[in-house]
Amino acid sequence: MSTTRPYPPGDRGHEPSGASGVSASSEEDAPAGAALASATGAAASSAPPSGTDAGAAETPRGRQVRRLGLEGASGVVPLARDFTRQALYDWGWLPAEGADQRAAAEDVLLVVSELVTNACLHAEGPDELALACDNKVIRLEVTDRGTGQPAPRTPHRAGRPGGHGMFIVQRLCLDWGVVRAEGRPGKTVWAELGAPA
């Protein structure tokens, strides 16, 4: 179900719904953040969002993208969760109309927390959080300058403290992976979750 691979999920071929976030004509070797930027025509924003729609972009297909610069920020995990929660409100995932929608939104917030926490603990801190959403899939990307390779701890021992982050990501997400930055240290860890039915 989950994989770690050196390229974005456009390998699934052209998806007319745009669910993968990468069209068949996209550069498959580009970092995931570059795929988001090229798909929306938006440049990465390093400034935190202000009141309304700062950091937001929308494509003609209805795909919406938001970016939050985290480099040098303090309290990055709650900052990333708040930013994501606001996007979920703006995109209609919240307020939840039922248990399934509430669970889907909480899963997104939990995965954002895990990815940002991993970047803090293992990769010198996150540089950027990017969110992309269409009507079927939400894609989360956390970019950092770390050289490590995230992977679920095996064997997974539920009663043992720590080491559950990527196991949680693997269990909750449709897919996830890592894209290495070209010509510089760093990577983008991405994860995709399905929209509530």
Side-chain angles (χ1 to χ4, degrees):
M1 183 159 134
S2 295
T3 59
T4 301
R5 53 188 180 209
Y7 45 84
D11 67 324
R12 293 183 287 211
H14 180 67
E15 295 179 26
S17 69
S20 72
V22 180
S23 67
S25 62
S26 297
E27 294 180 32
E28 289 187 11
D29 294 331
L36 277 178
S38 68
T40 64
S45 168
S46 60
S50 60
T52 57
D53 250 351
E58 187 170 344
T59 65
R61 292 176 289 163
R63 185 161 180 264
Q64 300 176 54
V65 176
R66 295 203 177 176
R67 297 176 176 284
L68 175 65
L70 296 171
E71 185 177 3
S74 60
V76 293
V77 175
L79 182 64
R81 282 181 66 90
D82 290 345
F83 179 78
T84 303
R85 183 178 290 108
Q86 184 59 52
L88 293 175
Y89 273 101
D90 293 345
W91 294 338
W93 288 48
L94 291 173
E97 294 177 8
D100 288 344
Q101 191 172 7
R102 186 172 25 264
E106 287 301 320
D107 287 351
V108 169
L109 294 171
L110 179 56
V111 171
V112 164
S113 295
E114 294 298 340
L115 295 179
V116 172
T117 298
N118 276 356
C120 291
L121 294 176
H122 307 293
E124 304 170 28
D127 290 339
E128 181 182 72
L129 168 66
L131 312 171
C133 183
D134 62 19
N135 59 354
K136 293 187 178 184
V137 173
I138 189 166
R139 180 178 170 100
L140 316 171
E141 296 183 354
V142 175
T143 304
D144 62 56
R145 282 180 248 130
T147 57
Q149 182 72 15
R153 180 184 287 175
T154 55
H156 179 255
R157 295 188 179 123
R160 196 169 156 192
H164 304 291
M166 292 312 293
F167 180 78
I168 291 169
V169 171
Q170 181 177 352
R171 292 292 301 253
L172 294 179
C173 295
L174 299 171
D175 203 2
W176 71 276
V178 178
V179 178
R180 290 276 164 206
E182 284 190 40
R184 64 177 177 82
K187 64 187 175 299
T188 298
V189 181
W190 58 267
E192 294 180 337
L193 295 94

